C-alpha cells in the first residue's frame, strides 16, 4: 500500500529539518512555492505542515510565515500513558526497538521495593534500545514480576509493545508514577545512545500500576537530552 | 515562637544528609538510638523521619531500616501548581528569592507568541534567582503583559510570590503548559547557579493560563540538574 501523499511530503520536510536544510528559527518556503517545487497540491502541503506543527517542529507566525521551532522529538510520557511507538509515530518518525537482553534474575532491594515484592523474588529483566529514524533515542531497563506474567518470555519485544501485551493479558497499566532526573551520560549510555560522555541525559524512574493498584512495571530509562523534550499540562485542583 | 521539636530534629537529620554524614544508599541510625542520641522522644523522631520519607530523602526498607535515597530536592512543578516557596518548604528547606531585575520591555516574537499579544507590546520582565538553604536552585525569567497588571511593579518579589499576587489581583493561574528540556549549563547559568559550565540543566518553558484561558505568564527557568528532581503522576483517561 503506497503511503498517502501528505505523509510523503511530511517526511521529506522533516528530513530537511533534521539534516539542517531548514534551520531552527528560520522560515520554511511558502505553501504555494513548496507545492510547485514538490509538484503536489497546496492542500497536500498544508496537511503535511499542519502535522509538523502539531508535532512541534514548525510554528506558524502571524504575517511572517512558518518557522522551524524545534528539531527535538516531542514526548508526552510526562502527560499521557502511551506506547513508545505511538509517540514516535506522532512525530512522523519510524520507531524501532532492539531487545538487548531479556532474562530473569533475583530482585534487588531497589526493584523489590518498587514492585512491592520480597527481595530475591525472581523477576524479568527486559533491556531495550529504542530508536527513531535509526537514531537511538532511549535506553530502557524494565523489571516485571514473573508470578503475574508466566508467559511473557514467549513475546518478541522487537515487534510488540510491552503496554499492549500487558493489556492483552488483562493487566493494563492505568497509572504511572515517574521521577525525572538529569545526569551527565555515563560511558555505557554514551556508547549505546551514540552521544558524548557527560552529555545531558534525561533519567526516568517509572512505576506502572494496574487498575487494582498493583505495581507491575519498574523501568529505568535514559533519554538523549539533545533529541527529546517533554510536555506537561497541569490543572489546578 | 519556637519551632516544634520534630521540625528541629527533621532539619538536623536533613543537615546530616546534605553534608554527607548520612550518605545516599546508607542506613541511618535506628529510631531508638536517634531518640537517645538527640535526647527526644521516639514519636518525635518518628514524626521527623516520616516527613523526610514524604520529602523523598529517606525510604523505609523492610527488616533493614531506613536508608537515604535521595539528596536532591523533590519538585512537584511537573504535577501540581504550587509556589516555589511551598515546594521548598515541603522539603524542609528555607526558600529565598533574589530579584535580579524587574523592568519593562517590548515583547519579542517569542514572548508575544506565548502570551498571544502583538509583538512589541510592552511587557514586564521579572528576573529572579531562587535558592534553598542559601544554595541557588533555579534562575527564572518571567514575562507578563502590562495591560492586565498595571500595578505589578509596586510589588517586592523578594518577599511575595508571583502566583499569590496574581490570585490577589483576581487573575489566578489555573492551568500551566510546560515544556521540559535539558541542556549543558551556559556560562551565565553556571555562574548564577554556582555550578560547572556544561553541567546538566533542566530547562523549562512555561505558559500559565487564567480560568478564562488567557495566557498571563511566560517563564523560562533553568534548574540545577544535580539539586532537583521532578515527579509526575499520570492516569489513563
Amino acid at each position: 500500500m503506497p503511503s498517502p501523499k501528505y505523509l510523503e511530503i511530511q517526511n521529506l520536510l522533516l528530513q530537511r529539518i533534521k539534516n539542517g536544510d531548514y534551520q531552527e528559527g528560520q522560515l520554511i518556503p511558502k505553501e504555494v512555492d513548496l507545492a510547485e517545487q514538490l509538484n503536489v497540491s497546496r492542500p497536500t502541503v498544508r496537511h503535511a505542515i499542519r502535522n509538523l506543527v502539531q508535532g512541534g517542529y514548525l510554528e506558524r507566525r502571524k504575517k511572517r510565515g512558518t518557522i522551524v521551532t524545534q528539531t527535538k522529538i516531542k514526548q508526552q510520557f510526562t502527560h499521557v500513558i502511551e506506547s513508545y511507538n505511538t509517540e514516535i509515530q506522532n512525530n512522523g518518525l519510524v520507531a524501532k526497538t532492539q531487545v538487548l537482553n531479556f532474562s530473569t534474575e533475583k530482585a534487588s532491594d531497589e526493584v523489590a521495593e518498587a514492585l512491592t515484592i520480597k527481595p530475591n523474588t525472581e523477576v524479568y529483566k527486559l533491556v531495550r534500545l529504542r530508536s527513531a529514524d535509526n537514531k537511538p533515542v532511549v535506553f530502557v531497563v524494565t523489571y516485571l514480576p514473573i508470578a503475574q506474567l508466566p508467559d511473557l518470555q514467549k513475546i518478541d519485544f522487537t515487534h510488540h509493545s510491552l503496554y499492549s501485551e500487558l493489556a492483552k493479558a488483562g493487566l493494563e497499566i492505568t497509572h504511572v508514577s515517574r521521577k525525572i532526573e538529569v545526569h551527565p551520560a555515563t560511558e555505557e549510555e554514551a556508547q549505546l545512545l551514540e552521544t558524548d560522555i557527560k552529555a545531558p541525559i534525561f533519567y526516568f524512574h517509572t512505576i506502572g500500576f494496574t487498575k487494582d493498584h498493583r505495581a507491575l512495571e519498574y523501568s529505568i530509562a535514559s533519554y538523549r537530552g539533545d533529541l527529546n523534550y517533554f510536555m506537561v499540562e497541569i490543572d489546578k485542583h
Side-chain angles (χ1 to χ4, degrees), chain A:
Chain A
M1 194 179 76
S3 64
K5 204 73 196 166
Y6 75 86
L7 207 58
E8 237 173 75
I9 302 303
Q10 181 182 325
N11 287 335
L12 190 142
L13 296 177
L14 194 60
Q15 223 48 53
R16 291 182 178 178
I17 293 168
K18 294 273 164 197
N19 67 26
D21 287 347
Y22 299 156
Q23 300 221 325
E24 209 169 310
Q26 299 296 306
L27 289 170
I28 64 165
K30 286 186 194 143
E31 262 176 38
V32 52
D33 295 336
L34 279 172
E36 199 184 304
Q37 186 194 114
L38 303 170
N39 199 21
V40 292
S41 70
R42 280 188 70 176
T44 298
V45 172
R46 199 173 301 132
H47 193 164
I49 289 176
R50 190 167 56 228
N51 285 359
L52 293 171
V53 167
Q54 271 168 13
Y57 293 104
L58 298 174
E59 215 170 274
R60 289 183 215 274
R61 290 286 161 90
K62 266 165 221 149
K63 286 182 195 158
R64 291 186 50 209
T66 304
I67 67 157
V68 179
T69 39
Q70 184 53 266
T71 56
K72 294 180 184 173
I73 302 171
K74 180 180 182 175
Q75 305 272 16
Q76 306 263 31
F77 291 119
T78 34
H79 174 43
V80 289
I81 299 178
E82 207 156 55
S83 81
Y84 175 81
N85 290 341
T86 310
E87 289 272 6
I88 297 305
Q89 281 154 17
N90 285 347
N91 278 272
L93 300 172
V94 178
K96 237 160 83 179
T97 298
Q98 210 182 325
V99 175
L100 302 183
N101 181 29
F102 190 12
S103 54
T104 63
E105 63 174 46
K106 289 189 193 310
S108 67
D109 279 8
E110 178 192 338
V111 171
E113 184 80 20
L115 294 174
T116 51
I117 56 178
K118 290 206 178 78
N120 296 319
T121 312
E122 286 279 312
V123 290
Y124 296 112
K125 182 183 183 180
L126 173 60
V127 182
R128 291 174 292 174
L129 182 64
R130 318 193 80 169
S131 65
D133 277 7
N134 290 320
K135 243 193 216 168
V137 166
V138 57
F139 168 66
V140 53
V141 180
T142 305
Y143 299 93
L144 302 130
I146 294 185
Q148 293 170 58
L149 298 157
D151 292 332
L152 206 66
Q153 241 171 344
K154 291 181 192 157
I155 297 162
D156 176 8
F157 286 107
T158 313
H159 298 294
H160 294 276
S161 138
L162 176 61
Y163 277 21
S164 44
E165 291 304 319
L166 294 178
K168 268 192 227 163
L171 292 164
E172 193 189 10
I173 301 292
T174 58
H175 180 81
V176 146
S177 180
R178 187 159 284 149
K179 178 181 174 183
I180 305 174
E181 293 177 274
V182 294
H183 67 209
T186 62
E187 233 179 280
E188 190 196 14
E189 287 169 336
Q191 204 189 336
L192 286 166
L193 296 172
E194 295 172 18
T195 186
D196 299 330
I197 295 178
K198 294 196 176 170
I201 296 289
F202 276 112
Y203 195 53
F204 286 10
H205 285 78
T206 300
I207 305 176
F209 298 87
T210 54
K211 209 166 46 214
D212 57 353
H213 311 290
R214 268 188 289 174
L216 194 67
E217 174 219 3
Y218 179 49
S219 290
I220 303 163
S222 306
Y223 284 86
R224 262 179 69 165
D226 60 338
L227 279 189
N228 299 280
Y229 72 98
F230 296 85
M231 290 300 299
V232 289
E233 304 285 336
I234 317 161
D235 280 302
K236 186 118 193 171
H237 298 295

